[in-house]
Every structure is written in C-alpha cells, then in structure tokens.
Amino acid sequence: MRLNTTTTRVFALIAAAACAAGLSACQSDVPVPGPTSGGGTATAAPTAGAAEARDIEPITFTDEAVGLTETCDQIITDFKAPSYQGSDETAIVYLLHCTLDYSGGLSYDEETSGDLKLIDDTDEYHYGRAWGLSAINEDMKAAGMDPIGYEDRGTTHVDGWIAFTVSGSDGKAAPLPEGATTLVYERSAFTNKGTGKTYEAYSTRAKVTIK
C-alpha cells in the first residue's frame, strides 16, 4: 500500500512537539507510519524505518507479450535497512512503490516480472538494481510496509514496495542524482514450461520525476 506523505509529516510534527515539551517519548526513535490490513497506520521498529515517501510522476510499463501493466508512483530515497546495511554502511537502499496487474493467463513470477534498475543518467555504471533480499524485506515488514517478492508468485495483482541497492564509491555513499535518474524495465525471453509458448525479450524505460 502507498504511504500518505501528509500523514508522515503529521507524525513528525507531533514527535517534534513532544520533544520540545520534554516528554520521554523523544528518547526513542520517531515512529514511521505504515499501512495495516485495516487501512490504519502502524509504527516502525526503532531499528528500521523510511525517509519520507515522495510522490513521483506515475510511470507505467506495458509488457503486452506477458499481459503486464506495471505502474510505479512513489519513491523513498534513503530507506534505513540495518539488517542489510550493517554489512555495508555505504550502501543506499531505495524503495519504489509499484502495482503489477496481469491479464491473459500469466501471473507474477521471476520470468514474467522482468528486472528493474534505477540508472544515473550521467553515468550508466552508477545504478541500483531491484533485489528480493530477505534482509531488506524483513526491515520493510518491520517498518509496516509490504515488500513485493516470492510470496506474491502466482497472483495476477501485486501491490507493494520494491527495493533497490546502490553501492558506495571510495568509501562513501553515492546517491543517485535527483532529476537525472531513469527507471529501466528489462525482461529476458523465456518459454512457458506449461504451454511451450515462447515470449520474446522486451525492455523499456522512463524518467523518474519527483513531484
């Protein structure tokens, strides 16, 4: 589910007011709102959390061969994932909120979902690739977020967050440049084991524009 950016700001303002009043609540990390099955909000574990979710101009990829329509509409540019970043403090974790809808008989799996990359427009070797890493997924769940991954296999509608990791350079974090980043979708050719039908490779890309 999408995070409401207005709700995020309200939580931050309430926490700031509590600290100003000297309340003990400011001795711990500020809770980050996340979705619950009932449509309310949940608080993140103190060790994992998200920077503000920011709306982007919606990006829609249509892979007609496999009947996929994928739309991404929010980004988090510095997600705190201690389970993953503990082994690489210079790595930056980006999260992208996307929905995937399938028609025509296929469903979500490793072959039909393709690969996503966030690429620096000024340096093609500087990029973040989407990974279904269990460590990051656990941190997302701790923050009240729904990661897209193995548990979604076989479904025709998927709604959640996709994690991208960007490695550091020269011992420092190397964030992707805002306003100069592109989202790339690439799917390799494959043959459906059940029907024997072959699907040709497909790729497309779109500029990531934060509102």
Side-chain angles (χ1 to χ4, degrees):
M1 299 295 180
R2 300 173 75 249
L3 289 183
N4 185 294
T5 54
T6 300
T7 304
T8 305
R9 294 192 182 98
V10 170
F11 269 72
L13 289 172
I14 293 172
C19 289
L23 298 180
S24 59
C26 65
Q27 295 175 1
S28 60
D29 290 348
V30 176
V32 178
T36 66
S37 58
T41 59
T43 57
T47 55
E52 181 179 306
R54 304 168 71 184
D55 292 335
I56 63 173
E57 292 293 340
I59 295 172
T60 298
F61 295 143
T62 303
D63 188 345
E64 295 182 356
V66 296
L68 168 64
T69 299
E70 180 169 5
T71 300
C72 303
D73 58 6
Q74 279 191 318
I75 192 169
I76 293 173
T77 56
D78 189 12
F79 180 74
K80 305 306 180 186
S83 299
Y84 173 78
Q85 292 168 310
S87 60
D88 185 0
E89 295 182 355
T90 66
I92 299 176
V93 177
Y94 287 75
L95 299 184
L96 203 60
H97 177 266
C98 302
T99 58
L100 294 78
D101 288 289
Y102 290 88
S103 61
L106 295 179
S107 58
Y108 177 86
D109 64 24
E110 291 82 356
E111 292 179 323
T112 62
S113 59
D115 292 321
L116 291 177
K117 290 182 181 179
L118 288 169
I119 299 180
D120 184 340
D121 293 341
T122 65
D123 180 2
E124 63 178 323
Y125 298 105
H126 181 210
Y127 64 88
R129 182 179 177 183
W131 296 100
L133 298 176
S134 59
I136 299 178
N137 285 352
E138 289 305 312
D139 285 332
M140 278 196 272
K141 291 177 181 178
M145 308 174 77
D146 296 323
I148 293 177
Y150 183 83
E151 296 174 353
D152 296 299
R153 290 184 63 184
T155 60
T156 57
H157 175 76
V158 182
D159 184 334
W161 294 86
I162 300 172
F164 301 75
T165 58
V166 179
S167 299
S169 178
D170 297 324
K172 298 179 181 179
L176 296 169
E178 186 172 325
T181 297
T182 294
L183 179 64
V184 177
Y185 170 91
E186 296 178 325
R187 178 184 53 75
S188 300
F190 71 95
T191 300
N192 186 298
K193 296 180 178 63
T195 65
K197 182 177 179 179
T198 297
Y199 298 84
E200 298 299 324
Y202 177 75
S203 66
T204 185
R205 60 178 58 208
K207 186 76 171 287
V208 178
T209 302
I210 298 176
K211 292 183 178 180

